[in-house]
Amino acid sequence: PERASPEAWTRYIQAVRERTLDQVVFRGEAARWRDYQGKVEWLETIDGGGGYRIRKLRFEAVPGLWVPALLYEPTELTGPAPVFLNVNGHDGAGKAADYKQLRCINLAKRGIISLNLEWFGMGQLRGAGFAHYKLNQLDLTGTSGVAPFFLAMRRGLDILLEHEHADPSRVGVAGLSGGGWQTIFVSALDPRVTLANPVAGYSSYLTRIHHHSDLGDSEQTPVDLASTADYAHLTAMLAPRVALLTFNEKDNCCFAAPHALPPLLEAARPVYQLLGKADHLHDHINYDPGTHNFERDNREALYRTIGQHWFAEAKEYLRDEIDSTAELKSAEQLAVELPENNLDFQKLALQLADKLPPESEASREQVAATLRFSQNPGKLTAQAQRHEQAGRVLTSFWRLRIDDTWTVPGVELVPGDNAQSITVVLGDVGRAELAENVAAHLAQGHAVLAIDPFYLGESKIASRDFLFGLLVSSVGERPLGVQARQLMQITRWLKETRKFREVRIEAHGPRTSLMALAAAACDEKSIDSVRMHGSLGTLREVIEQGGQVDKSPELFCFGLLAAADIKDLSGLVAPRQLHFVEPSVRAQKELSGLADRYEQHGVDFDPLAP
């Protein structure tokens, strides 16, 4: 139905674009950054080579976060000229990468004004605070971590279009790998771009399910993107503008042409045909060297496309690369001075976290919404794999199937026939490492169920595990929500089906402690008490300690710190027993006053007592 007519398609895809911008990019503080006109400071100008100069500049992507850039400006400009944003991927050389310099130089020699943008985490922005897996610290505060990426590119386009010779009908973007991702992301979401050349930079999320080499990093798989638009949508969103989709036949990194390109063409080609611009969609496959590259063959494919659409009447236009290797500059020559106090992802997140959560008391409904719990309670199907009797202890090996989606392995040990209570044991290191703790419970006559929820222990994915954690968040779920929901359904099964009168949870480590706390905060009926070893005292510690999503995806639950901190979640557990075992000094400080919350319920109890 979306392709029933050009008008239907335009309405549909504009709604997809607006939904993606509103629900993925401009959330939290990023909504205020949306209209921020960051400062631009022009610095020195250096001679580039024959027919162009290089002007150094820096600009604010968001308040206090400066990005260095280089403007390659033809020296002979008399009328409107095309402008081009050149972005780069995961290359430590950043804006000084040879293949990127050659692209900028060649464009300048063709009369095109080109902006060479530095990318977060690369080149001059290689500091630890700009590591891409730290952008999720912003997510934790409820501000979109992908927003600075988009805003940096959008500001680059602003700068180009503010040039006195800029031709707004000829605006291009190109980049390799992470630069290919930047190209499709900004070109799809910013209609000012009229020619896009993403190179080996993305594939459909559906493709990635089967080709795990394509699973993207934090910026490529931002929270909730897959629930608003697949990359196939973003590709079709380019129509009717000029697009050159470049992929490499034997790509040794990701997004190899044989599997990545066909679904994108299948999505985009009918739209280009519908809009009467079939000749605006191009594709190019590189065979030599065919690996992950934006070398000469791929660059010349770009020059040809530019010539066809921007210089069709210019007989002198060169479609082959102009040899400019003698004009390459060193990183030092291209360095742009940055402010000493330049912000990065971690510093931004610390600023935002300083005012969170708000003073108002957290509600159970608000926490459940943040964890993305649905109204449907779901179901659990328990299948016993085998039973073993050793003395008075009966050991059962369970496969716990939850919502026909997730499977949680569990080992249950019951001493004797009359166990009335059971402790669910889980740990950051996996249940196999908790044998001594399980034995201690059994020695006291307590039943135990040791489990490995999603992402931990036996449930840990063998390789590229955290990338699947990112994908869970991108499709609209939350890893922490998945884990807490698993705990809630397991404890409900133990109480309602297995008829244990008392169900306790004992967690070992900061990650599983947060899972246990989140589950108990949301479930008043099936969890009677929680005992946590090594719990965080505040979610701000995740940011302060430089936490990264590749180490612990659940700790970066989008907006959790804006909804409730550890103290707030603990308050929702009261008056049930909650123990912080050997709390750190920080935890004691942050959680002081919890005993007062219990007093409000008429209970004399201190969760921080040894």
Side-chain angles (χ1 to χ4, degrees):
E2 299 86 5
R3 297 200 300 260
S5 67
E7 294 76 19
W9 172 260
T10 301
R11 286 193 301 270
Y12 166 72
I13 208 63
Q14 180 59 27
V16 173
R17 179 183 287 117
E18 291 175 358
R19 187 165 61 246
T20 301
L21 288 169
D22 293 341
Q23 299 178 16
V24 177
V25 180
F26 294 120
R27 289 194 283 185
E29 187 66 17
R32 296 187 179 90
W33 297 339
R34 188 171 193 163
D35 298 320
Y36 179 70
Q37 294 296 313
K39 303 182 187 73
V40 180
E41 295 181 359
W42 294 91
L43 305 174
E44 68 173 319
T45 297
I46 62 176
D47 180 54
Y52 69 97
R53 53 182 166 258
I54 301 174
R55 300 177 63 190
K56 298 184 179 183
L57 67 148
R58 62 190 183 200
F59 65 89
E60 285 182 298
V62 301
L65 193 164
W66 292 81
V67 175
L70 305 167
L71 186 75
Y72 288 71
E73 185 180 59
T75 52
E76 300 292 336
L77 287 174
T78 57
V83 295
F84 215 96
L85 183 66
N86 277 303
V87 290
N88 63 279
H90 298 86
D91 188 323
K95 65 183 183 303
D98 287 359
Y99 58 85
K100 193 182 185 193
Q101 288 192 59
L102 288 170
R103 191 163 79 245
C104 293
I105 294 169
N106 265 265
L107 293 177
K109 289 182 176 182
R110 287 167 171 80
I112 300 171
I113 304 164
S114 178
L115 187 66
N116 182 346
L117 202 63
E118 193 70 282
W119 200 30
F120 302 129
M122 308 300 150
Q124 285 189 253
L125 299 180
R126 289 192 73 181
F130 275 120
H132 289 186
Y133 297 135
K134 282 190 171 66
L135 74 84
N136 302 90
Q137 294 180 0
L138 295 169
D139 290 335
L140 177 60
T141 71
T143 289
S144 172
V146 79
F149 288 80
F150 179 77
L151 288 167
M153 292 183 283
R154 193 182 72 172
R155 195 70 181 110
L157 291 175
D158 292 343
I159 292 167
L160 283 168
L161 288 168
E162 288 165 3
H163 195 284
E164 61 178 331
H165 289 287
D167 179 356
S169 68
R170 294 183 289 176
V171 181
V173 184
L176 165 69
S177 193
W181 167 78
Q182 290 177 86
T183 300
I184 186 60
F185 201 67
V186 73
S187 300
L189 298 179
D190 192 328
R192 293 179 298 174
V193 177
T194 64
L195 187 154
N197 178 212
V199 178
Y202 72 100
S203 63
S204 164
Y205 280 131
L206 298 178
T207 301
R208 300 177 195 198
I209 293 171
H210 305 288
H211 298 274
H212 298 168
S213 63
D214 290 7
L215 290 170
D217 291 339
S218 296
E219 72 281 359
Q220 299 164 334
T221 313
V223 176
D224 292 336
L225 175 61
S227 66
T228 68
D230 181 60
Y231 280 99
H233 292 84
L234 297 183
T235 306
M237 201 179 289
L238 297 175
R241 298 168 289 161
V242 179
L244 169 61
L245 309 183
T246 299
F247 289 85
N248 302 305
E249 175 69 14
K250 300 171 291 186
D251 204 301
N252 53 332
C253 163
C254 40
F255 313 120
H259 68 254
L261 179 57
L264 302 178
L265 292 174
E266 182 180 350
R269 187 168 283 131
V271 178
Y272 275 88
Q273 292 171 344
L274 175 70
L275 300 180
K277 293 294 183 180
D279 62 335
H280 280 200
L281 177 62
H282 306 266
D283 64 276
H284 176 72
I285 298 176
N286 171 252
Y287 295 93
D288 183 14
T291 53
H292 201 62
N293 80 93
F294 201 161
E295 297 300 341
R296 181 164 184 155
D297 175 61
N298 284 336
R299 292 195 297 270
E300 290 186 337
L302 171 61
Y303 306 149
R304 288 194 299 272
T305 302
I306 290 174
Q308 178 180 338
H309 294 278
W310 287 358
F311 295 93
E313 305 301 323
K315 295 181 180 179
E316 71 281 4
Y317 181 84
L318 295 175
R319 286 162 172 75
D320 297 331
E321 180 151 280
I322 304 166
D323 184 15
S324 305
T325 53
E327 299 166 32
L328 293 174
K329 306 287 190 294
S330 67
E332 291 73 20
Q333 289 174 300
L334 298 177
V336 176
E337 185 179 356
L338 290 172
E340 291 185 8
N341 58 345
N342 195 26
L343 295 181
D344 54 30
F345 298 144
Q346 186 169 358
K347 292 174 184 176
L348 271 175
L350 285 170
Q351 282 187 357
L352 297 171
D354 189 52
K355 300 177 182 178
L356 298 176
E359 294 296 326
S360 57
E361 191 171 294
S363 70
R364 189 167 281 108
E365 293 73 22
Q366 185 180 15
V367 173
T370 302
L371 297 175
R372 291 294 175 93
F373 288 164
S374 66
Q375 297 300 314
N376 185 352
K379 65 177 182 178
L380 181 148
T381 304
Q383 181 181 7
Q385 301 297 290
R386 68 180 190 277
H387 302 284
E388 297 176 0
Q389 187 78 43
R392 296 183 64 252
V393 177
L394 174 64
T395 302
S396 302
F397 296 83
W398 291 100
R399 177 183 292 165
L400 305 173
R401 184 71 173 165
I402 296 173
D403 295 337
D404 292 326
T405 303
W406 305 100
T407 302
V408 177
V411 179
E412 180 186 67
L413 301 99
V414 180
D417 300 325
N418 299 312
Q420 300 296 304
S421 65
I422 188 168
T423 300
V424 179
V425 174
L426 64 161
D428 292 12
V429 293
R431 72 182 193 279
E433 301 298 321
L434 301 176
E436 290 186 9
N437 178 266
V438 170
H441 283 288
L442 293 174
Q444 297 174 21
H446 299 157
V448 176
L449 175 65
I451 64 169
D452 281 330
F454 167 61
Y455 203 87
L456 298 175
E458 191 179 343
S459 296
K460 188 174 178 65
I461 299 167
S463 65
R464 299 178 181 266
D465 51 355
F466 68 95
L467 299 180
F468 286 98
L470 293 175
L471 195 55
V472 165
S473 289
S474 194
V475 298
E477 297 287 339
R478 301 291 182 261
L480 179 61
V482 171
Q483 295 157 334
R485 186 60 173 265
Q486 290 176 347
L487 269 176
M488 291 164 63
Q489 291 185 247
I490 289 170
T491 55
R492 187 176 300 146
W493 168 71
L494 291 170
K495 188 159 260 190
E496 296 178 358
T497 303
R498 300 295 307 289
K499 304 302 182 184
F500 284 100
R501 292 183 181 177
E502 184 180 13
V503 178
R504 302 182 291 261
I505 298 180
E506 181 163 327
H508 295 259
R511 298 170 64 187
T512 47
S513 290
L514 182 59
M515 298 174 206
L517 191 58
C522 293
D523 189 337
E524 299 177 88
K525 298 179 179 179
S526 61
I527 300 170
D528 296 295
S529 68
V530 178
R531 186 176 179 85
M532 300 180 293
H533 301 255
S535 171
L536 296 167
T538 169
L539 292 170
R540 288 190 296 276
E541 290 182 81
V542 177
I543 301 171
E544 293 165 356
Q545 295 170 10
Q548 297 193 166
V549 75
D550 58 324
K551 307 299 181 185
S552 49
E554 63 282 315
L555 295 185
F556 297 86
C557 180
F558 191 94
L560 182 57
L561 184 55
D565 203 349
I566 301 295
K567 184 176 181 178
D568 306 287
L569 295 172
S570 301
L572 293 174
V573 178
R576 293 165 290 162
Q577 287 199 351
L578 175 68
H579 295 274
F580 288 82
V581 180
E582 297 182 357
S584 65
V585 174
R586 178 66 178 278
Q588 293 178 55
K589 177 182 178 182
E590 293 285 346
L591 303 175
S592 61
L594 277 181
D596 297 338
R597 183 64 182 265
Y598 279 83
E599 285 185 10
Q600 295 175 16
H601 292 274
V603 178
D604 183 16
F605 176 68
D606 184 359
L608 299 177

